[in-house]
Amino acid sequence: MIKIMQKKYDDIRYYLDLIPTPNDQIPACIYGGFLVGFLIGGGVYSKEVISEDLVKNFNNKEKTGPQIYLELDGKLTSDMMQNELVKFFDYYVEGENAPYQKDFGEVFFNEYKSPFEVDDSWDNFQKINNKITRSFTNWMISNPDIG
């Protein structure tokens, strides 16, 4: 059996030295946590990694994507998503010129100076989720052989 290497797209440890209040880790979870919210909200998460309880908490708005991201050890990895999403995340999230960075900036940087100031709110999640969903839809149209 061939084992596929797990890819890491985001990790809270990248940001811990950059957040204004080290005791509150949620600001370091916003960037990756909104992507976790996209996975859960879109039903494209891995049931082996993200528990039914966490999905229920998210769907009932008891926990946000960043809160769940923190519970998942502050990492966003390829095993958290269905296989067809890995190629999209390779395109959308990885690298210095990743479209997600641009989308995140377009959505939030008129109101906030840094990603660590973005509030963990359902309104903010909805704003970025709309952008992620649009990017995913456009990517799927451009890549009809995937999925």
Side-chain angles (χ1 to χ4, degrees):
M1 183 166 152
I2 298 172
K3 184 171 177 148
I4 297 172
M5 289 283 292
Q6 173 182 310
K7 289 181 132 179
K8 188 187 312 181
Y9 295 104
D10 197 51
D11 190 321
I12 188 175
R13 286 174 275 193
Y14 301 158
Y15 316 113
L16 287 178
D17 292 339
L18 304 172
I19 57 176
T21 51
N23 292 337
D24 180 12
Q25 294 183 338
I26 287 296
C29 296
I30 299 297
Y31 190 79
F34 285 160
L35 288 164
V36 169
F38 163 76
L39 293 174
I40 295 171
V44 290
Y45 61 92
S46 168
K47 292 172 178 58
E48 287 82 37
V49 177
I50 301 177
S51 73
E52 203 173 301
D53 285 341
L54 289 176
V55 172
K56 183 178 176 184
N57 290 152
F58 181 83
N59 289 335
N60 291 337
K61 295 190 175 183
E62 295 165 1
K63 289 187 181 179
T64 63
Q67 290 169 332
I68 292 171
Y69 173 88
L70 187 57
E71 284 193 40
L72 296 169
D73 297 325
K75 294 182 181 113
L76 176 63
T77 57
S78 57
D79 65 340
M80 294 178 174
M81 60 193 75
Q82 294 176 0
N83 289 336
E84 61 269 16
L85 266 289
V86 173
K87 289 188 182 203
F88 172 67
F89 270 61
D90 288 350
Y91 153 76
Y92 190 62
V93 180
E94 274 201 315
E96 286 185 33
N97 296 315
Y100 181 57
Q101 289 178 348
K102 180 179 171 268
D103 288 351
F104 193 91
E106 285 176 4
V107 170
F108 296 118
F109 291 162
N110 286 331
E111 184 177 349
Y112 300 97
K113 292 179 183 157
S114 94
F116 310 114
E117 294 176 6
V118 176
D119 293 323
D120 181 16
S121 70
W122 289 103
D123 285 342
N124 280 342
F125 168 69
Q126 199 55 55
K127 288 176 193 173
I128 192 66
N129 190 57
N130 290 341
K131 195 89 158 164
I132 298 167
T133 301
R134 204 167 23 257
S135 292
F136 179 61
T137 301
N138 290 338
W139 183 83
M140 287 297 290
I141 290 167
S142 299
N143 297 279
D145 56 326
I146 298 174

